[in-house]
Amino acid sequence: MSRQLLEIFQQSHRELRPRTPQPEFQIEFFRFANVNNTIRLRDGRIFVRLSDLLEGAPESVLAAIAHILLAKLYRRQLQLQHTSRYRKYVSSHDFREKMHLIRQIRGRKRLESPQGHIYDLESIFDELNTRFFHGLLGRPQMTWSREHARNSLGHYDPAHNTIVVSRVFDRKDVPRHAIEYLVYHEMLHLKHPVKLRGTRRCVHSAEFQAEEKLFPQLEAAKKFLRTL
Ligand SMILES: [Zn+2]
């Protein structure tokens, strides 16, 4: 763990919790398949895993991700200056190029592919993750359904940590915002795990619904889904 990285996290921690003693940190770069960063608190120690794609990122970007992760851990409001700096960096041309290369090298062979004829579910997930979740959601398996199912357009299967999207969306005449909305909805299920109430499987809590409204083309997307 580099000294500089540790200092960045300690500084960020001081800003968020000035009166709390510094916890012990364990920070490492990790080979995730995509840009992904995790944080957890265990026995008073903070464990951080940063995507190794961020190795060598400017200090300001590392400070931004430190803030985002610690604010998430302590359920504090995220500061816009940090979230926009981080987002700008991971959506920059150079970074995306690097990510693309790494993905090709690390790409695993799978039977069910996230790559459709028109849309690539993994890149849709990654893009939405950056736009709406600060890149904080770990990507589950993304797969197209075998059938052109109309009764189940998409669902998140927590047992297999998989988002399945119906193949009816993998067509040129499906607007991008429609499939983005569908994936976004399933990502919210990932973020807000279902609390089982009786036998209802698909629960959309008030929190879930409020967050769903943040999707800009919500109405247009829903309208399109009704035509399927
Ligand atoms: Zn749902």
Side-chain angles (χ1 to χ4, degrees):
M1 167 167 78
S2 90
R3 178 156 191 85
Q4 183 215 24
L5 200 55
L6 175 64
E7 280 167 8
I8 288 171
F9 271 81
Q10 287 175 335
Q11 173 63 29
S12 182
H13 193 275
R14 257 194 301 281
E15 282 164 20
L16 279 165
R17 312 195 75 183
R19 283 174 297 277
T20 313
Q22 286 287 343
E24 198 182 312
F25 279 99
Q26 190 179 313
I27 308 165
E28 60 179 348
F29 286 106
F30 191 75
R31 279 182 54 150
F32 289 112
N34 57 331
V35 56
N36 197 2
N37 309 291
T38 63
I39 190 164
R40 65 206 163 86
L41 180 67
R42 201 207 275 159
D43 303 327
R45 289 166 78 195
I46 292 181
F47 295 83
V48 177
R49 276 180 169 182
L50 300 177
S51 163
D52 62 352
L53 291 167
L54 294 171
E55 220 167 344
E59 202 175 313
S60 59
V61 174
L62 295 173
I65 188 65
H67 168 81
I68 291 169
L69 289 172
L70 286 166
K72 181 195 174 203
L73 184 68
Y74 293 125
R75 298 168 189 276
R76 298 293 171 85
Q77 186 88 40
L78 292 171
Q79 281 172 24
L80 189 65
Q81 60 178 103
H82 288 305
T83 55
S84 58
R85 178 168 296 134
Y86 178 67
R87 194 172 313 165
K88 214 166 165 184
Y89 182 76
V90 293
S91 46
S92 69
H93 178 74
D94 283 0
F95 187 84
R96 299 191 71 81
E97 198 95 299
K98 188 170 159 186
M99 194 159 75
H100 181 68
L101 272 172
I102 295 270
R103 202 177 278 160
Q104 281 181 332
I105 297 164
R106 293 185 189 165
R108 299 153 287 177
K109 280 211 178 86
R110 265 169 302 193
L111 279 168
E112 313 250 345
S113 170
Q115 177 67 61
H117 296 294
I118 308 293
Y119 290 118
D120 176 20
L121 294 173
E122 286 189 346
S123 58
I124 288 175
F125 181 98
D126 289 347
E127 205 184 300
L128 294 169
N129 199 11
T130 307
R131 267 169 71 199
F132 297 102
F133 305 96
H134 313 292
L136 292 173
L137 289 183
R139 189 177 63 211
Q141 296 265 20
M142 302 293 297
T143 174
W144 293 101
S145 68
R146 273 167 215 260
E147 317 289 329
H148 287 68
R150 278 165 207 280
N151 54 345
S152 171
L153 299 179
H155 72 274
Y156 170 60
D157 170 3
H160 299 96
N161 193 30
T162 303
I163 288 178
V164 183
V165 177
S166 170
R167 268 192 201 281
V168 295
F169 286 94
D170 192 25
R171 289 196 326 227
K172 240 188 266 168
D173 56 345
V174 170
R176 193 174 174 92
H177 65 246
I179 180 157
E180 278 183 354
Y181 162 67
L182 201 86
V183 174
Y184 179 69
H185 179 97
E186 300 312 323
M187 288 168 84
L188 290 178
H189 279 302
L190 191 64
K191 184 176 169 184
H192 303 275
V194 176
K195 298 176 191 83
L196 271 180
R197 281 188 212 142
T199 52
R200 287 179 63 195
R201 273 186 55 233
C202 182
V203 176
H204 304 113
S205 64
E207 226 182 350
F208 181 111
Q209 290 178 44
E211 207 164 333
E212 190 175 59
K213 292 205 178 81
L214 300 177
F215 188 79
Q217 298 110 322
L218 181 67
E219 287 315 312
K222 278 186 168 171
K223 201 169 158 195
F224 177 81
L225 298 193
R226 283 195 289 269
T227 67
L228 283 174

